[in-house]
Amino acid sequence: MMRNLLSRAITAVALLSTIVPLAQAENWPSWRGDGSGISKEKGLPTEWDRKTNVNWFTKLPERGNSTPVIWGDCIFLTQPISADNRRTLMCFDKSTGKLLWNEGVVHTKPDKTHQTNPHCSPSPVTDGERVIVWFGSAGVVCYDMNGKELWRRDLGDQDHVWGTGSSPVLFEDLCILNFGPGKNAFVVALDKKTGETVWKVDIPAEAPASNDQELSDKQRRDRDVLRGSWVTPLVIDAGGRKELIVHFPEKVVALDPSTGKELWTCDGIGPLAYASPMWGNGVLVAWGGYFGPSLAVRPGGSGDVTQTHRLWHKPKSKLRLGTGVIRDGHIYINDMKGIAQCIDLETGDEIWTKRLRDPKSQKGDSWSSFLMADGLVYALNQAGTTFVLEASPEYRLVATNPLEEVTNSTVVASDGSLFIRTHEGLWSIGEESRKSAK
């Protein structure tokens, strides 16, 4: 009898060991998840449309460009309410799409942005205890998981004709923000519990004049008027040393995330920086905006590492806004015209280039970043079509999935489902087989 009981106990433990991991849904706590844009989820949907494999759809008040973040059963999304001059954080139930709460601030002062970039474009960030949002000139606000405001900081006016784009990130007890672009641009670390400033590093307001003779009139305008960085910072582990990577205009900068001390710099990305830093296989990749230069650099150096650590430098790149992903020594990334590329990480050479266009609408422009999961890349365009590709040096299109709604957001994954924010609403996509099994 004792032998039978022991056998049953062993069987029960074995069953629990297989069940528990399935019950632990992956959180997606910031715009790029853990910063890489790579999800650990398996068996995510690969085919859907407006009627097929849709868990739910929730209508949103108006258009917006931010991406949802997820913790547990909650989806957090920033949303402008223009008629009321409100900038809000919304919380939705992940299973049903029901709005749980909606909190925000009122900001009536004039605030610059581009017509294609509504306010509240930065995505939230959460650690499961608090959710922190940057509302541009309306400040940084921290809420608890039930929507109660914990603190608020006014960091000054954000002043650029194209508005904001950088999302806050968390490192230990710090909330780090690339505040800019514009004349009053800086990187700042706030205590995530109180909002107090721990360190601050100013971004140079003026470009070096050393290369003036090499610039065209248009390039000078880009440098002097449009100059700026919209990138979301990235914390990496470089041989046991934590480094905070930020693209300043003209260079990549690594800071100590705890103190803001400059560790190293690498020149070569031009006056504009849209796509955020990418990190994989020991290599950092940085893209300049508006057909600007691109480069790859090995971290871990000291001072100016342009000559010692830079792997490659391309004087001109495609027009990129979204951020790609890195896998097995290859970069997968889109450009604003919807042209996807596989690029060799070590050399910067193109492996393949394919234009992704919806077969029905023939539209392909994209502002979105890539999501990668289970060896697949999810590439969303402005027409609301998601292309599923194999993350492979041999191009293979797996599926084309239209939602037929405008979007500048990025696909995110959690608990076997995909979540897509469009100008019309928030979609939850799941496989029918997985839904019936729950």
Side-chain angles (χ1 to χ4, degrees), residues 113-139:
T113 194
H114 193 271
Q115 61 180 356
T116 59
N117 187 30
H119 294 301
C120 299
S121 283
S123 300
V125 65
T126 181
D127 61 1
E129 295 183 8
R130 57 191 62 80
V131 190
I132 302 176
V133 292
W134 179 38
F135 290 138
S137 299

Side-chain angles (χ1 to χ4, degrees), residues 26 36 38 64 82 87 114 144 207-208 211 224 228 238 252 397 413 435:
E26 183 183 26
S36 68
I38 300 173
S82 301
R87 304 184 185 182
H114 193 271
D144 70 12
N211 62 343
D224 298 335
V252 181
L397 176 64
K435 286 188 285 185

Side-chain angles (χ1 to χ4, degrees), residues 182-302:
K183 297 177 181 178
N184 180 35
F186 51 84
V187 181
V188 64
L190 307 177
D191 186 309
K192 71 178 184 180
K193 297 178 182 178
T194 66
E196 295 179 358
T197 299
V198 176
W199 57 259
K200 178 182 174 184
V201 174
D202 290 330
I203 298 176
E206 296 182 358
S210 58
N211 62 343
D212 260 6
Q213 300 300 319
E214 303 174 7
L215 299 180
S216 66
D217 290 342
K218 180 182 180 303
Q219 288 172 325
R220 288 192 184 91
R221 177 179 178 271
D222 289 346
R223 186 197 66 186
D224 298 335
V225 179
L226 303 179
R227 182 177 187 272
S229 170
W230 288 259
V231 306
T232 296
L234 175 67
V235 178
I236 67 170
D237 189 330
R241 182 177 77 176
K242 297 296 185 182
E243 298 184 356
L244 175 73
I245 310 300
V246 191
H247 301 175
F248 286 9
E250 283 88 32
K251 61 184 178 180
V252 181
V253 179
L255 306 173
D256 182 328
S258 297
T259 65
K261 177 185 176 182
E262 184 178 289
L263 301 174
W264 56 262
T265 65
C266 182
D267 291 338
I269 62 167
L272 298 167
Y274 305 153
S276 295
M278 299 168 57
W279 162 248
N281 302 121
V283 177
L284 273 164
V285 181
W287 307 96
Y290 224 73
F291 302 105
S294 58
L295 63 86
V297 59
R298 293 198 185 278
S302 178

Side-chain angles (χ1 to χ4, degrees), residues 361-423:
S361 68
Q362 289 299 304
K363 293 181 179 180
D365 289 4
S366 176
W367 284 18
S368 301
S369 297
F370 279 1
L371 166 73
M372 185 165 67
D374 203 10
L376 298 175
V377 171
Y378 292 80
L380 178 63
N381 72 11
Q382 287 185 319
T385 299
T386 303
F387 301 88
V388 183
L389 317 171
E390 284 191 358
S392 168
E394 295 184 5
Y395 175 78
R396 180 169 176 252
L397 176 64
V398 176
T400 301
N401 305 301
L403 284 181
E404 302 176 26
E405 292 183 359
V406 176
T407 178
N408 288 319
S409 186
T410 294
V411 184
V412 302
S414 178
D415 200 14
S417 293
L418 299 170
F419 299 88
I420 302 173
R421 188 256 181 85
T422 69
H423 282 358

Side-chain angles (χ1 to χ4, degrees), residues 353-365:
T353 299
K354 296 290 181 180
R355 185 181 294 274
L356 303 179
R357 289 204 177 277
D358 180 80
K360 182 179 179 181
S361 68
Q362 289 299 304
K363 293 181 179 180
D365 289 4

